[in-house]
Amino acid sequence: MPIAPADLIPAPADVVPLFVTEVYRTNFGGTALDPLIDRLDAGARRLAAADTAGQAWSDRNGYLGYTSYDSFDIVTDAGPEFADLTALLDVHVMIYAQLLEMDLRGKAPRMTRSWVNVLHPGGAHGGHVHPHSIVSGTLYLSVPDGASALQFEDPRHTRMMHAPMRRPSARADRQPVMAMAPARGTLMLWESWLRHEVPTNRAGEERISISFNYDL
Ligand SMILES: [Fe+2]
């Protein structure tokens, strides 16, 4: 007796998400932290104008704009607003680590690097990961119209020997590449192994952000 087609699926199956990549996103614009965004924006511009070593490094390395990546280990020392930033990020990195149920072995993640980025129109930053840290992120201070999003890649790319692409309308968590557009005041956190890039800044003005690494 053949099985009737209607009986082939006697109960709905589960699709179980495994090895999920989780990105943390929040926005401080219009909150009690809004003034801190302005202070950090001014501090970042001040640093970009004053840090001649960072300007020279950016020129030498083809960074279209300014980054303090090589001239300061941590920008906390560059002004009181940056110390406030560290205190703020300490809290959010801990929340993210708790949401991801990381076993922190009783320790609090601490900032190991932070750097200011002033990306000029036409500037970009190719795909990369952040070694020697567990959580990385960026706080966005100036995001003019047309400014680059932050683009994440599925970390399983190297194993996708014969996997079909997903439809453009597929859910965000099924896309192989996902661009997340920040606004002024957006904070994004991700695990440091997650490869990401900043496509070309198509805004007519500078896109300003502060990036950072945390480790145990
Ligand atoms: Fe990065």
Side-chain angles (χ1 to χ4, degrees):
M1 185 76 173
I3 301 170
D7 291 334
L8 288 172
I9 307 173
D14 287 332
V15 174
V16 183
L18 296 175
F19 317 119
V20 178
T21 304
E22 296 173 289
V23 173
Y24 180 95
R25 180 175 58 178
T26 188
N27 191 288
F28 303 129
T31 73
L33 296 168
D34 195 277
L36 178 59
I37 302 301
D38 283 340
R39 288 171 56 221
L40 288 165
D41 188 275
R45 292 171 192 271
R46 191 182 67 235
L47 196 63
D51 175 18
T52 51
Q55 294 162 7
W57 190 91
S58 302
D59 284 347
R60 274 200 311 279
N61 289 274
Y63 188 90
L64 199 53
Y66 162 81
T67 176
S68 67
Y69 185 76
D70 189 66
S71 44
F72 285 81
D73 281 345
I74 293 184
V75 287
T76 302
D77 303 332
E81 62 274 56
F82 294 105
D84 290 347
L85 171 69
T86 303
L88 171 67
L89 295 176
D90 285 352
V91 169
H92 284 267
V93 170
M94 182 56 109
I95 293 170
Y96 177 56
Q98 299 292 351
L99 286 171
L100 266 56
E101 302 186 68
M102 288 179 177
D103 181 359
L104 302 176
R105 291 170 283 139
K107 297 180 185 172
R110 60 181 179 80
M111 184 184 281
T112 54
R113 294 289 306 269
S114 63
W115 59 98
V116 163
N117 310 291
V118 178
L119 191 66
H120 286 178
H125 190 188
H128 62 280
V129 297
H130 292 207
H132 311 301
S133 52
I134 59 168
V135 171
S136 297
T138 298
L139 175 65
Y140 295 88
L141 307 174
S142 279
V143 185
D145 284 348
S148 319
L150 181 60
Q151 189 163 289
F152 295 102
E153 287 179 19
D154 188 333
R156 300 165 297 180
H157 255 169
T158 52
R159 298 177 181 223
M160 289 179 184
M161 295 179 62
H162 199 53
M165 295 299 287
R166 299 302 189 258
R167 291 190 291 267
S169 59
R171 273 178 12 197
D173 58 344
R174 293 188 176 141
Q175 299 286 356
V177 173
M178 195 66 211
M180 294 176 68
R184 173 186 169 277
T186 296
L187 170 68
M188 286 200 244
L189 305 175
W190 57 88
E191 290 194 71
S192 303
W193 45 257
L194 182 59
R195 193 175 147 92
H196 55 281
E197 70 173 275
V198 181
T200 303
N201 180 19
R202 302 201 179 282
E205 295 162 60
E206 297 162 333
R207 170 192 188 270
I208 301 179
S209 60
I210 300 180
S211 296
F212 46 86
N213 290 332
Y214 272 73
D215 196 5
L216 284 179

